Amino acid sequence: MLLPSNSRPILVSLLLAGSLCVGSAQEARPLALVGARIELGNGTVLENATLVIQGGKIVSVGEDLQAPGGAKTIDLKGQTVYPGFLDAYTTRGLDIPAAPSQDPRDDKDTAPATMWEKNRKGIRSDVRAAAHLSLKASAGDFHKQGLTAALLAPGSGTLRGICAIAPMLGEPQELPHPDFALEMSFRGGSGAGYPGNVLGIIALMRQTLFDAQRYATLDTDEKDEALANAAPAATGRMPVVFAADTELEIVRAVRICGEFGMKPMIAGGREAYRQAKMLAQQRIPVLVNLNVGTPPSLEEEKGTEPGDSIPRAVREDQLRDWTERAANAAALAEAGVPLAFSSEGDALGDFLSNVRTAIEHGLPRADALRALTATPAELLGVGAGVIRVGQPAFLTIMDGDFADPKSKVTRVVVDGNAFEVKS
C-alpha cells in the first residue's frame, strides 16, 4: 500500500444531495443488513446472508446468522451487497482557486526573472485538494453510482497540487489521507507565454523537482509551499498521480518518475494498452478513464453531398481506434497491470454504464469488480476492498448484478454510515 509521509488530518462536512443517512458509525446500536446476497470480493458469494455493523466496522457476516438483539435491521432480500466501490481519480468535488494571472511583461519569447513570483506557469503544488473540498452538490451523485470514496485531484497545471482521499460521508469526519499524492501532467499553465511547448514544460517540471529535492535538505525559515509540497514526491516518499492519456505521454511520465525515483500511478491512460507489458513489468497502476463515447458509424451520413463524406477507409480506422480504446481495460487486466477505475472525463451518471461497456469489450466481470474495489482500496488505503470481519464498513448495495444495465444502487455504507439512495 502506498502511503504519504506527511498526512495531516482535516475535517470536512458534507451535505448529501439525493441520499439519506439512515445509520451512524457513532451509534452504539448495531446495524444489521439481512436477507442479502453478499459478494465478499474474494470470489465467495453468500446467499440469504446477514452482515452486522457496529462502531463503523463489520462485526459479523454469514449465512444463517441472526441479527443481534436491539439491532436496527434493513431487509435486503433480493439485493446484492458488494465491497464499497471506489473512484480512483476525479476532479469533482473541489473548488480550486484560479491560477495567478500572467505577468504582462511575460510573452512567448522571453522569461523574465519576475515570472516565478508572478506566475509559476503551471507549478501549483502549493494547492492542497483537502483545503478546497466542495462536495455538497455532488456527493449524492457519487452514491448513485455506488461510489463510497474517491481520490480527489486538483486537475490543472503541470505540478497540479496534492490529491486527497475523501469518504463520501454526511457528517464531519477526518479525511484518512488529506495529503496522499502529488498530481502531475504535461499540461502547462493558463494563458500564453513560457513554456509554450512540451519541451519547455518538461524542462520546467524537472527543474522544479530538482529544486524540491534540494529544498528537502534545507534548514530554513523561508517557507515555499510549492516546493515543500512537491518534496515528498520528488524524494520518493509520496506517490505521484500522473495524468497521461497518449502512449507517448505515458512513456514520458514513467521515464521522468524513474529519473527521480518517484512512485507513479497513471491517471486516464486511454492508450495504456499500447504499453501494457511495460506497465505490468514495472507494476505501475493505471487509474483508467473508461469513457470512450459512442462508436463511430461506418455508414455515410444521410444528406451528404458526393465527395464531402468521410472516406470509408478513414471511418474504418476510427472504428478500429474506438474498439481498441473500449478494450483498453481488458488488455491491461490480461497483462497483469494493477487496474482501478476513474470517473473523470465523463458525466458521473455514466460511470457504471462505462464499466459495463468495458465488460462488453472483454474485461472479465471478476477483474471489473476488483478494479472497483480491492485494487483501489489497496492503492488508496480506503476500506478493505473485500468484506471481512474487523474491516471498516464500506459497502455498495444494488438491486441486481452490477454488470447488468438494469441494476441500480439502492444504498451505500460509508465508514459504517448507511445512506439510502434516492433515484
Side-chain angles (χ1 to χ4, degrees):
M1 182 183 302
L2 301 175
L3 296 178
S5 61
N6 64 340
S7 293
R8 288 171 279 181
I10 187 167
L11 292 179
V12 55
S13 178
L14 309 180
L15 176 62
L16 301 187
S19 299
L20 175 65
C21 184
V22 296
S24 171
Q26 307 305 318
E27 294 178 0
R29 186 183 180 191
L31 174 65
L33 309 178
V34 301
R37 177 180 180 275
I38 301 178
E39 292 201 29
L40 299 184
N42 59 3
T44 301
V45 178
L46 305 179
E47 302 291 347
N48 192 26
T50 295
L51 185 150
V52 180
I53 300 166
Q54 190 166 21
K57 294 186 176 182
I58 299 170
V59 296
S60 60
V61 59
E63 295 173 338
D64 302 320
L65 183 67
Q66 297 296 316
K72 176 181 178 61
T73 62
I74 299 177
D75 185 359
L76 295 181
K77 183 178 180 180
Q79 300 187 47
T80 300
V81 178
Y82 300 97
F85 298 167
L86 303 175
D87 187 344
Y89 176 87
T90 181
T91 61
R92 296 180 179 88
L94 296 172
D95 186 13
I96 301 297
S101 58
Q102 183 173 301
D103 188 321
R105 292 171 292 178
D106 183 12
D107 57 39
K108 292 185 178 181
D109 300 319
T110 64
T114 56
M115 180 197 74
W116 195 243
E117 288 76 21
K118 297 292 185 181
N119 181 1
R120 288 194 169 187
K121 295 301 183 179
I123 305 302
R124 306 203 66 199
S125 43
D126 56 307
V127 174
R128 294 178 61 238
H132 302 285
L133 294 174
S134 181
L135 283 161
K136 181 171 62 174
S138 59
D141 292 329
F142 280 95
H143 285 182
K144 290 178 181 179
Q145 299 302 306
L147 295 166
T148 60
L151 183 145
L152 307 181
S156 176
T158 302
L159 268 63
R160 294 179 162 188
I162 306 301
C163 305
I165 299 168
M168 294 299 148
L169 286 167
E171 58 186 35
Q173 295 284 335
E174 285 189 357
L175 294 187
H177 305 312
D179 295 325
F180 175 74
L182 173 67
E183 185 186 11
M184 297 175 60
S185 81
F186 294 113
R187 304 292 183 263
S190 59
Y194 173 85
N197 56 47
V198 70
L199 294 179
I201 289 169
I202 291 174
L204 181 57
M205 175 189 292
R206 293 178 69 250
Q207 183 61 60
T208 305
L209 292 173
F210 282 126
D211 289 345
Q213 288 180 335
R214 179 177 180 275
Y215 184 88
T217 68
L218 299 179
D219 182 13
T220 177
D221 293 331
E222 295 184 9
K223 187 70 169 177
D224 187 316
E225 287 289 343
L227 296 181
N229 286 353
T235 54
R237 295 179 291 115
M238 174 187 281
V240 170
V241 173
F242 214 118
D245 274 323
T246 69
E247 180 181 13
L248 185 54
E249 285 180 331
I250 291 167
V251 171
R252 285 171 172 165
V254 171
R255 287 177 177 173
I256 287 174
C257 288
E259 177 186 1
F260 288 89
M262 298 188 298
K263 305 178 181 70
M265 303 180 192
I266 301 299
R270 293 178 187 271
E271 294 183 0
Y273 63 93
R274 295 180 176 175
Q275 289 294 326
K277 183 177 179 180
M278 178 270 290
L279 294 167
Q281 288 175 340
Q282 299 191 37
R283 298 298 295 168
I284 296 175
V286 177
L287 317 179
V288 68
N289 184 323
L290 294 174
N291 180 29
V292 293
T294 57
S297 174
L298 291 179
E299 302 299 323
E300 288 191 14
E301 187 176 350
K302 292 182 179 180
T304 304
E305 295 293 330
D308 291 341
S309 64
I310 299 174
R312 183 176 179 84
V314 174
R315 296 197 300 272
E316 289 175 347
D317 285 343
Q318 291 174 338
L319 181 59
R320 183 165 48 251
D321 289 343
W322 182 92
T323 303
E324 289 179 354
R325 290 197 302 272
N328 183 24
L332 294 173
E334 183 178 3
V337 177
L339 181 65
F341 293 150
S342 160
S343 73
E344 189 65 15
D346 58 359
L348 184 53
D350 292 334
F351 177 75
L352 285 178
S353 175
N354 291 337
V355 172
R356 292 158 184 155
T357 297
I359 293 173
E360 291 169 3
H361 285 80
L363 180 66
R365 179 188 181 281
D367 289 330
L369 184 58
R370 277 194 293 272
L372 283 168
T373 57
T375 300
E378 180 182 354
L379 294 174
L380 307 182
V382 175
V386 295
I387 296 173
R388 65 165 68 99
V389 171
Q391 296 286 359
F394 285 80
L395 307 169
T396 297
I397 302 165
M398 302 186 68
D399 59 10
D401 191 321
F402 78 92
D404 186 342
K406 297 178 181 178
S407 297
K408 294 183 179 180
V409 177
T410 61
R411 288 177 171 83
V412 293
V413 178
V414 184
D415 203 17
N417 298 272
F419 298 88
E420 184 177 0
V421 175
K422 302 294 186 180
S423 299

